[in-house]
Amino acid sequence: MDESDSDVIADDGDEQLQFLLCSERFEPPFDLIDESVMPIQTLIPEDDKETAAYVSVVGTGSTIMVAGSYYIPKFIEGKPLGDDASFICAKEQTIGVADGVGGWSKKGIDSGEYSRELMKNAETAIQKQKSKDDNNTSTIDLMEVLNEAFLNTKAMGSSTACMLTLAGDTLNAVNVGDSRFVVIREGIIVYKSEIQQSRFNCPFQLGNGKSSDDPSVAQKISVPVMAGDVIVLGTDGLFDNVHDFELETIVNARVDSWERDVPETMAWRIAQYALDNSKSKDLYTPYSRECSKAGIEHNGGKYDDITVIVANIWPL
């Protein structure tokens, strides 16, 4: 195929890197894990010791968002953290993902450093906004967050970014690039965000390079939600490898025990399924479909970092 399996730097025409597929199979977070390629799971920030289900949230509508995440970085020797980054601000009802553009690696730059710094700065900006809200009634201004995080991120590289916040009974989002989210209601995807790319496999990307974008290109999205909805936010490692109907099936196939079906467990299931598909050399995946549209012959999945955040919308 003419295009490699890794996202490229905007307007960069150099030959792209290709990555070998790993053969390790991951087990659930509540069982033994293959330590040769360690997935990373998070529920809420380390400095908040409460679980998301019991965090005190002052809602402005009839719902709250309870989220958990799971991350499987692609296996690259000497780069255990991969290129993805994410955060969950439970009290602020805000979540986000970023995907460092892998094409920078051929220039000797770890784009994961950019995505991690960007998401850390986004968390800081969110908490700064909330600290100014004496009555705890204001909603998060995601464009302000994105602008502040972008201006404060000094690492080399570039990254996509997608952030969501629940305000009342509306899910507000900002997005740059090819990370995306879906809203699942009664087992059916009722909304799926669009991606931004200048050409196939070349997403819009925030960064300090001369060809990178700034937050002015961000999509601003508002979607009404209701109690019982499930939000799935992920990087392209998820959506390149899992069709909509497959995602619906995974979310609908919940286990009987509620305690084991918390959001981070669902996030693990989805991430594991995406990983399995990414290793296939003959499945018809969303990535192989898009390759075909671009005139590129490619069968199977796309091996990549996989970040999944699942957020349940609960009645307040």
Side-chain angles (χ1 to χ4, degrees):
M1 54 185 290
D2 296 324
E3 295 277 356
S4 85
D5 293 344
S6 111
D7 288 338
V8 299
I9 305 170
D11 301 322
D12 191 300
D14 294 343
E15 183 180 359
Q16 305 161 40
L17 291 182
Q18 298 189 12
F19 302 103
L20 295 176
L21 300 182
C22 67
S23 59
E24 289 79 3
R25 179 179 180 85
F26 297 108
E27 297 300 328
F30 43 77
D31 202 343
L32 296 177
I33 298 177
D34 184 345
E35 295 181 354
S36 59
V37 185
M38 184 66 72
I40 301 169
Q41 64 178 121
T42 59
L43 180 60
I44 55 179
E46 286 296 320
D47 58 358
D48 191 337
K49 299 304 182 182
E50 299 175 282
T51 62
Y54 298 100
V55 169
S56 176
V57 176
V58 177
T60 57
S62 62
T63 56
I64 60 172
M65 181 168 65
V66 180
S69 70
Y70 209 77
Y71 174 35
I72 304 175
K74 59 191 173 189
F75 181 73
I76 300 178
E77 191 71 34
K79 193 178 176 183
L81 297 180
D83 290 323
D84 283 6
S86 66
F87 70 84
I88 296 174
C89 290
K91 290 181 180 179
E92 294 80 10
Q93 295 285 271
T94 306
I95 58 180
V97 299
D99 181 1
V101 175
W104 285 96
S105 59
K106 62 182 174 285
K107 299 180 181 292
I109 295 171
D110 179 1
S111 206
E113 293 184 4
Y114 185 93
S115 63
R116 290 188 289 274
E117 186 178 346
L118 184 71
M119 290 293 94
K120 184 62 178 176
N121 287 333
E123 286 187 82
T124 300
I126 289 165
Q127 291 156 6
K128 180 180 175 182
Q129 275 193 33
K130 272 302 184 182
S131 69
K132 296 178 179 179
D133 180 17
D134 295 334
N135 297 319
N136 199 26
T137 56
S138 299
T139 58
I140 298 298
D141 183 338
L142 288 178
M143 278 305 302
E144 182 179 319
V145 169
L146 188 62
N147 273 293
E148 186 169 336
F150 172 75
L151 290 173
N152 290 330
T153 300
K154 306 303 182 184
M156 292 297 295
S158 60
S159 174
T160 68
C162 186
M163 297 186 290
L164 317 179
T165 191
L166 183 65
D169 298 320
T170 300
L171 195 68
N172 294 322
V174 294
N175 180 62
V176 177
D178 57 4
S179 293
R180 62 200 316 179
F181 69 95
V182 299
V183 178
I184 300 176
R185 180 172 301 150
E186 296 181 350
I188 302 296
I189 292 175
V190 296
Y191 179 81
K192 184 176 185 179
S193 64
E194 298 294 329
I195 66 171
Q196 294 177 307
Q197 60 181 8
S198 56
R199 57 185 172 86
F200 174 68
N201 216 28
C202 186
F204 287 17
Q205 51 201 258
L206 302 173
N208 297 316
K210 61 183 179 180
S211 62
S212 299
D213 300 301
D214 63 47
S216 65
V217 305
Q219 299 167 314
K220 291 181 283 188
I221 305 165
S222 293
V223 183
V225 293
M226 61 179 62
D229 287 355
V230 178
I231 313 302
V232 181
L233 168 63
T235 55
D236 62 339
L238 165 61
F239 290 102
D240 280 342
N241 291 299
V242 179
H243 291 286
D244 289 354
F245 75 88
E246 294 174 300
L247 191 53
E248 291 170 342
T249 299
I250 299 167
V251 171
N252 290 334
R254 302 187 179 190
V255 296
D256 294 334
S257 172
W258 181 90
E259 290 80 7
R260 288 163 67 94
D261 205 25
V262 291
E264 69 271 18
T265 305
M266 180 64 72
W268 168 79
R269 278 201 206 97
I270 295 169
Q272 173 64 70
Y273 190 90
L275 176 67
D276 289 346
N277 282 3
S278 77
K279 295 188 292 184
S280 169
K281 295 183 178 180
D282 49 30
L283 275 179
Y284 181 69
T285 64
Y287 184 69
S288 59
R289 178 190 63 211
E290 295 306 310
C291 284
S292 178
K293 289 180 181 178
I296 300 167
E297 184 177 350
H298 175 84
N299 296 321
K302 175 188 176 185
Y303 180 52
D304 202 353
D305 302 300
I306 300 167
T307 295
V308 180
I309 300 180
V310 171
N312 292 333
I313 305 299
W314 284 2
L316 186 62

